[in-house]
Amino acid sequence: MSENDNLLKADGKNEVEKEVSTPKEETTPEVENKTEVTPESEAETKAETESESTKETTSEKTAEAETEVESETETESETETESETETSKNDQHVDEIEAENAEDAEDESNVERHEVEEKDYHAMSMQDLATELNRLLKHHKIQTISKQVNQIKSEFNAKFSELLDQKKEEFIEEGGNEIDFYYTNDTKKLFNQLYKDYKQSISSYYKEREQNLKQNLENRLAIIEEIKGLLSVEENMGTTYKTFKELQDKWRNAGPIPRDKYNNAWNTYHHHVERFYDFLHLNNDLRDMDFKHNYEQKLKIIEQAEELAKDDNVNRSFRELQVLHKLWKEELGPVAKEHREEIWERFSKATKTIHDKRQAYYADLDKAYEKNLEKKENIISQIQAIAEDKASSHGAWQKKIKEIEALREAFFNAGKVPLKVNEATWAKFKDAVRTFNRGKNKFYKELKKDQYENLKKKKDLIKIAEDNKDSEDFKTVTPLMKKIQADWKKIGHVPRRDSDKIWKQFKAACNHYFDRMHAERKAENQHLYDAFDKKVKLLDELKAMELSGDNKADVETLKTKIADWKAIGHVPQNKRYIDGKFYKAIDEAFDKLKMDKSKLEMVKFESKLENLASNDNDTRLLDNEQNFIRKKISEVKSEINQLENNLQFFSNVESDNPLVKDVHKNIDRHKKELDTWKAKLSKLKGMYS
């Protein structure tokens, strides 16, 4: 194996002709591959391809330079044959790093792009997605957010597509023609404007970068030519070596180049660097000093890689490992031949450890995606079950709508599923929701039909009310107005937008009629309202009155109050409750008198009879009172008989026995009570005459 071949292997700089299939750092399989297919405008589709076309232009415009690099490589084909054989021995874990770094060749800010936070866009609402896109545009460089923007765009379009399908079905259900359907909202307009701003900014960025990449490539090719020229310079070796180191510094600071030129340019550069070191055999001290420096620096890189292999954050360790490989390849030259195999194997071993941990991480991620799929399948089944259960009332449908909304939110929060079933799962979900919406729309369409019929009925009642609101025929129209009010209550719901309007219209017509009727009746019965005012005043006087302590005088005063009350006369029908209040106050006043209980009872009873007799000579109240008194007389007699019968059990007991004395006492009390009830009955009979 030649020294050149060993150098190529030791540096780990092998041309990678095709991308590896391992997912990129911080990129999940679902995001990495194609996103959900959603309707987009022609303008959006065109904008999305602008950045890619810009990249392709860079490659085309540097074709001539590439030819020069490749021809130079071909000249060294014999030397590289053995190197290619050694390259094929490199494991996939090295190829993966090489592929990532080659992809990053065009943009030195790629490390920053990796640091842009990725969120669970699937769980966000359309408004939240628009807000997140706006945040990215304001707080990050435009070239660092393409992956996040594409994910946000995919999720937004998917959610808006679902909403669009729902609105379209509702439009058609309501009788609209499909070709006339159009729908958008403020959130969609905002998102479209933000995405347009992004496309314009990224397009400007790629146009500017295209020129920079082309110029950087030309500068690097010129540096290679200068290094080649050093081999034919006949001057002091120290001066030549100093020039060589200056050219190396210029190379390191020459900036990014097109990714498709990256490996060829670096391999050609290292090939001529290696030739220069062979040329230095005339001055081994300089070469050995460089070899020693490179060896020390590469050992530090290896130690850092071994530390990264212990880190459980696989994405972070992979990012930093990329940087280490970039330093190994781009910043450091070869080491002495005896160390090359050893240090490369050690560096490769640490790289493989990180690679294997990362592969295990994605394997676990796949398992998590499978669990998410189970959750989403279960949610879809629940939505399908709710859709099949047909409700028959507005309340039941409202409950189902809330359940569906909760399930939709749970679906979006369930996380990502394996990419291979992503579109099918999404389609199944949308189909289940669409089936539910069709059932809901059908119910509310029928409900609206009934509501419009109810609206017509209520409008007919409004016309009757308005036609009669100024009528003077109160006797005829009042029953009619009461009937249409009752009919109104029996009619069901009307469309919400009409409900308040027609109710106010109907209520205004009815109130107008009844206010007129009440005003006229009040005028006809003004004397009744005057009587009511007088009774209110008299009642207040009674409540404020203080008794003199002379029972006879106080009784006469209370009787005078009763007579004055009767003299005032009748009050309106709806005000007659005041009579009850007055006689209640009279009873309370009588209770304050210190009189014999039986006499007091009779005075209060006479007051009660006065009240009964004042009710339009309605004898029914007197009849009811007479029946009540007769019933009480019968009950008291029965009690007396029972007590007298009980005395027979005490025939052999002395009359001064406490039990006997108590029975006689009860008998006497009931007889007095009986006399009072008989007196009340006699008084009542006198009222009939």
Side-chain angles (χ1 to χ4, degrees):
M1 181 183 298
S2 70
E3 183 176 319
N4 294 350
D5 298 331
N6 282 331
L7 176 61
L8 289 173
K9 179 178 180 183
D11 290 337
K13 295 160 182 162
N14 304 300
E15 181 175 353
V16 181
E17 293 295 335
K18 60 182 179 179
E19 301 283 346
V20 293
S21 59
T22 308
K24 293 191 292 185
E25 170 273 324
E26 278 197 348
T27 305
T28 59
E30 184 175 3
V31 173
E32 180 69 19
N33 292 277
K34 77 174 184 178
T35 54
E36 299 169 7
V37 179
T38 54
E40 294 180 39
S41 66
E42 183 178 351
E44 285 180 332
T45 306
K46 181 178 179 181
E48 193 171 42
T49 61
E50 285 178 2
S51 61
E52 290 301 324
S53 65
T54 305
K55 298 176 187 177
E56 292 170 4
T57 305
T58 303
S59 299
E60 293 169 1
K61 290 190 177 182
T62 54
E64 184 178 351
E66 179 184 14
T67 303
E68 183 177 353
V69 175
E70 288 177 350
S71 65
E72 180 66 42
T73 305
E74 286 171 4
T75 5
E76 314 296 339
S77 60
E78 183 177 353
T79 305
E80 294 180 356
T81 303
E82 188 176 352
S83 175
E84 291 171 359
T85 303
E86 292 299 321
T87 298
S88 66
K89 296 178 182 179
N90 286 337
D91 293 330
Q92 182 184 359
H93 59 280
V94 176
D95 294 340
E96 182 178 338
I97 296 290
E98 293 294 329
E100 291 284 349
N101 282 336
E103 182 177 348
D104 295 345
E106 291 182 349
D107 192 352
E108 291 182 332
S109 65
N110 194 63
V111 173
E112 181 182 349
R113 181 172 72 244
H114 288 166
E115 298 300 330
V116 177
E117 180 185 6
E118 289 187 32
K119 300 181 179 180
D120 187 1
Y121 303 126
H122 191 61
M124 290 185 179
S125 65
M126 288 189 292
Q127 182 61 52
D128 291 340
L129 289 170
T131 301
E132 178 63 14
L133 177 57
N134 187 41
R135 187 190 69 81
L136 290 173
L137 293 175
K138 286 184 176 180
H139 300 290
H140 294 277
K141 293 181 180 180
I142 198 69
Q143 70 270 25
T144 66
I145 59 173
S146 59
K147 182 169 66 175
Q148 288 81 2
V149 170
N150 288 333
Q151 291 181 46
I152 289 173
K153 179 173 178 287
S154 174
E155 290 296 343
F156 185 93
N157 285 340
K159 288 180 170 63
F160 186 76
S161 174
E162 182 196 6
L163 176 63
L164 203 64
D165 290 344
Q166 180 181 338
K167 295 295 183 182
K168 185 175 182 180
E169 286 197 11
E170 291 175 359
F171 177 76
I172 296 173
E173 286 287 339
E174 292 177 357
N177 192 321
E178 183 175 354
I179 61 174
D180 298 326
F181 174 73
Y182 173 79
Y183 175 79
T184 188
N185 57 28
D186 292 341
T187 305
K188 175 63 173 173
K189 293 175 183 177
L190 172 62
F191 186 86
N192 286 349
Q193 183 58 51
L194 292 171
Y195 190 73
K196 181 180 178 182
D197 294 344
Y198 166 75
K199 298 307 293 184
Q200 291 174 346
S201 299
I202 198 68
S203 177
S204 298
Y205 165 77
Y206 280 124
K207 286 178 182 178
E208 180 180 353
R209 193 184 71 168
E210 176 187 354
Q211 297 300 323
N212 294 334
L213 294 176
K214 178 182 177 182
Q215 186 60 51
N216 292 343
L217 179 60
E218 292 175 358
N219 293 342
R220 287 185 183 273
L221 294 178
I223 292 170
I224 291 174
E225 289 300 317
E226 290 188 61
I227 292 175
K228 288 167 60 178
L230 292 178
L231 302 180
S232 59
V233 174
E234 296 181 2
E235 61 179 358
N236 180 278
M237 187 58 66
T239 303
T240 304
Y241 181 76
K242 180 181 179 182
T243 303
F244 170 72
K245 299 305 289 185
E246 290 173 352
L247 289 174
Q248 279 191 312
D249 288 338
K250 285 177 64 178
W251 177 270
R252 294 186 186 103
N253 298 316
I257 60 176
R259 71 175 67 181
D260 54 335
K261 307 300 183 295
Y262 177 78
N263 280 318
N264 276 338
W266 274 98
N267 286 340
T268 303
Y269 167 74
H270 280 291
H271 171 70
H272 290 293
V273 167
E274 178 187 358
R275 290 183 63 200
F276 180 79
Y277 276 113
D278 288 341
F279 178 67
L280 280 183
H281 70 278
L282 299 176
N283 192 332
N284 287 331
D285 290 341
L286 290 175
R287 185 178 66 172
D288 291 345
M289 181 175 63
D290 242 14
F291 280 175
K292 182 176 182 297
H293 169 76
N294 294 337
Y295 179 72
E296 291 172 351
Q297 294 303 313
K298 287 188 175 183
L299 283 179
K300 292 180 180 179
I301 289 176
I302 292 171
E303 290 170 358
Q304 291 181 57
E306 289 172 343
E307 283 299 314
L308 289 177
K310 301 174 184 178
D311 192 347
D312 291 331
N313 189 325
V314 293
N315 287 325
R316 180 174 62 201
S317 59
F318 185 80
R319 285 198 306 270
E320 296 184 17
L321 183 65
Q322 279 184 265
V323 176
L324 295 179
H325 272 266
K326 191 176 181 68
L327 290 173
W328 185 288
K329 180 172 184 175
E330 298 181 8
E331 300 293 331
L332 300 174
V335 300
K337 183 180 297 185
E338 63 267 21
H339 298 304
R340 292 176 185 174
E341 188 75 23
E342 170 198 346
I343 63 172
W344 175 250
E345 288 300 328
R346 186 177 168 188
F347 189 37
S348 176
K349 181 180 179 181
T351 298
K352 187 174 188 306
T353 300
I354 296 173
H355 173 271
D356 291 346
K357 289 176 69 174
R358 190 164 182 259
Q359 292 298 100
Y361 165 78
Y362 281 113
D364 291 340
L365 203 59
D366 287 339
K367 293 178 182 178
Y369 288 171
E370 289 292 342
K371 291 183 178 179
N372 294 343
L373 176 61
E374 292 179 10
K375 294 178 184 177
K376 289 194 171 184
E377 289 285 357
N378 181 50
I379 291 170
I380 292 171
S381 298
Q382 292 182 61
I383 294 175
Q384 290 171 336
I386 293 174
E388 291 173 1
D389 180 25
K390 305 300 180 184
S392 58
S393 68
H394 169 70
W397 274 105
Q398 289 301 305
K399 181 180 178 182
K400 286 159 70 78
I401 289 172
K402 290 180 181 178
E403 290 174 352
I404 292 295
E405 284 302 315
L407 289 171
R408 287 183 79 258
E409 185 175 354
F411 182 87
F412 290 125
N413 291 332
K416 298 175 181 178
V417 300
L419 180 64
K420 61 184 178 181
V421 296
N422 182 57
E423 291 187 15
T425 305
W426 175 249
K428 191 175 180 181
F429 167 75
K430 289 200 296 183
D431 183 64
V433 174
R434 187 180 295 114
T435 300
F436 170 79
N437 286 333
R438 285 172 180 167
K440 177 195 67 177
N441 293 340
K442 182 180 179 181
F443 170 80
Y444 281 104
K445 184 178 179 182
E446 293 295 326
L447 188 62
K448 284 183 179 179
K449 181 180 178 182
D450 293 340
Q451 289 179 346
Y452 280 115
E453 291 179 359
N454 294 338
L455 178 62
K456 182 179 181 305
K457 293 176 182 179
K458 289 193 172 184
K459 284 183 175 180
D460 290 342
L461 296 182
I462 291 172
K463 187 175 186 310
I464 294 173
E466 292 183 337
D467 288 346
N468 291 277
K469 67 179 183 178
D470 293 316
S471 174
E472 300 292 338
D473 186 3
F474 296 114
K475 184 176 181 180
T476 304
V477 175
T478 299
L480 173 64
M481 297 296 279
K482 290 182 178 180
K483 180 179 182 303
I484 63 174
Q485 285 181 323
D487 291 344
W488 182 280
K489 294 178 181 178
K490 295 176 184 176
I491 299 173
H493 294 287
V494 299
R496 183 176 300 178
R497 65 175 180 268
D498 300 304
S499 180
D500 287 344
K501 178 182 176 182
I502 63 171
W503 166 244
K504 289 178 181 178
Q505 192 176 355
F506 180 71
K507 183 180 179 182
C510 291
N511 287 348
H512 178 80
Y513 172 79
F514 284 108
D515 288 345
R516 287 179 55 254
M517 183 192 74
H518 292 150
E520 183 166 324
R521 288 186 176 178
K522 184 175 182 180
E524 293 176 352
N525 299 298
Q526 188 60 46
H527 64 287
L528 298 178
Y529 287 96
D530 293 340
F532 175 75
D533 293 338
K534 292 177 182 179
K535 286 193 172 184
V536 170
K537 183 178 180 182
L538 183 57
L539 178 59
D540 291 341
E541 292 175 356
L542 175 63
K543 290 181 177 178
M545 185 186 74
E546 294 185 4
L547 298 176
S548 65
D550 183 344
N551 289 338
K552 185 175 181 181
D554 289 337
V555 168
E556 289 301 321
T557 300
L558 293 175
K559 285 184 176 181
T560 300
K561 293 289 185 185
I562 293 172
D564 292 343
W565 186 269
K566 289 183 65 179
I568 292 173
H570 296 296
V571 297
Q573 182 73 27
N574 62 339
K575 305 290 187 181
R576 290 187 177 180
Y577 62 83
I578 199 168
D579 288 332
K581 289 187 175 183
F582 175 77
Y583 284 103
K584 181 180 179 182
I586 286 290
D587 285 345
E588 291 174 352
F590 276 127
D591 288 339
K592 295 177 183 178
L593 297 176
K594 296 179 180 179
M595 296 176 57
D596 179 73
K597 187 175 180 180
S598 59
K599 289 182 179 180
L600 182 59
E601 277 293 315
M602 288 305 299
V603 172
K604 290 172 63 177
F605 182 69
E606 289 174 0
S607 173
K608 182 177 182 180
L609 290 182
E610 292 289 344
N611 183 31
L612 296 176
S614 65
N615 285 278
D616 297 330
N617 297 319
D618 189 351
T619 60
R620 287 180 301 175
L621 297 176
L622 296 175
D623 291 342
N624 291 339
E625 185 65 19
Q626 183 177 182
N627 291 333
F628 174 74
I629 292 173
R630 291 185 182 277
K631 182 180 179 183
K632 295 301 293 183
I633 289 173
S634 177
E635 290 176 355
V636 173
K637 285 182 176 180
S638 178
E639 285 290 334
I640 293 172
N641 290 334
Q642 182 63 45
L643 290 170
E644 289 177 342
N645 289 334
N646 290 343
L647 285 176
Q648 296 179 9
F649 294 102
F650 301 101
S651 56
N652 297 324
V653 179
E654 296 296 332
S655 59
D656 58 352
N657 183 281
L659 290 176
V660 175
K661 290 173 67 176
D662 187 56
V663 173
H664 281 291
K665 185 176 179 181
N666 280 337
I667 292 173
D668 292 340
R669 181 172 57 80
H670 278 83
K671 284 182 177 180
K672 288 180 180 180
E673 186 179 351
L674 179 61
D675 291 339
T676 301
W677 284 114
K678 286 180 177 181
K680 287 182 179 182
L681 180 59
S682 176
K683 192 73 174 178
L684 178 58
K685 288 180 178 179
M687 293 293 297
Y688 285 93
S689 60

